[in-house]
């Protein structure tokens, strides 16, 4: 992992995600920056786990769940991998609150209380209800949300 400052165009903190006996060097498959804490990130790692890092220090509690990541707040993280796992974020790390089955997949975006999946599902992950499904969306496709204009593009 390496932080890069876009304003000064300089590289910053660099650290490794560790080593896994089965898979070797761990790699990041998804990242999310914690709201209000630019030095804290969630990392979905190649060993099928997700962890919170403060700088280069991993919080002790990780979750055996990985996929696309989106913070709802500094205390709630969503992890998508065919379903949406809602995680509590604390000083100790991550703990699972619940999982919502979506029959959708792909990357996720959080905006105004809803989670949008590139596979087309839109849900309120706090209460577990699916609000709707966009047809012709692809879990492998690109997605852009323009909430100011009230539009989503797949």
């Amino acid at each position: 992992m390496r932080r890069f400052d876009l304003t000064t165009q300089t590289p910053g903190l660099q650290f490794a995600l560790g080593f896994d006996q089965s898979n070797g060097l761990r790699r990041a498959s998804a990242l999310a920056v914690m709201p209000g804490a630019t030095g804290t990130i969630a990392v979905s790692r190649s060993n099928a786990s997700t962890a919170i890092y403060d700088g280069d220090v991993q919080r002790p509690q990780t979750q055996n769940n990985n996929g696309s990541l989106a913070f709802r707040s500094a205390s709630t993280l969503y992890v998508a991998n065919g379903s949406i796992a809602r995680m509590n974020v604390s000083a100790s790390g991550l703990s699972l609150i619940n999982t919502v089955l979506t029959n959708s997949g792909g990357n996720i975006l959080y905006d105004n209380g809803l989670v949008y999946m590139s596979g087309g599902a839109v849900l309120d992950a706090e209460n577990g209800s699916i609000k709707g499904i966009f047809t012709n969306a692809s879990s492998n496709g690109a997605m852009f949300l323009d909430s100011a204009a009230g539009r989503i593009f797949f």
Side-chain angles (χ1 to χ4, degrees), residues 29-154:
S29 57
L31 303 169
V33 177
M34 179 183 282
T38 58
T40 300
I41 59 173
V43 180
S44 184
R45 305 180 301 186
S46 58
N47 69 331
S49 69
T50 299
I52 301 291
Y53 289 84
D54 299 302
D56 61 348
V57 178
Q58 177 190 307
R59 294 184 187 179
Q61 241 177 286
T62 64
Q63 281 293 307
N64 290 329
N65 192 344
N66 72 337
S68 183
L69 304 172
F71 276 98
R72 177 182 187 273
S73 65
S75 62
T76 303
L77 175 71
Y78 298 120
V79 182
N81 192 355
S83 60
I84 301 281
R86 184 168 53 131
M87 306 276 182
N88 181 61
V89 182
S90 70
S92 301
L94 296 169
S95 58
L96 180 66
I97 298 170
N98 68 334
T99 301
V100 178
L101 299 177
T102 64
N103 294 321
S104 188
N107 293 321
I108 61 172
L109 297 171
Y110 173 82
D111 187 61
N112 290 322
L114 298 175
V115 176
Y116 297 83
M117 301 183 78
S118 61
V122 180
L123 63 143
D124 181 335
E126 291 302 300
N127 67 24
S129 66
I130 295 178
K131 296 295 192 179
I133 298 177
F134 289 96
T135 58
N136 299 320
S138 168
S139 60
N140 295 323
M143 173 178 59
F144 177 76
L145 179 65
D146 184 352
S147 59
R151 296 183 179 161
I152 187 165
F153 301 89
F154 293 96

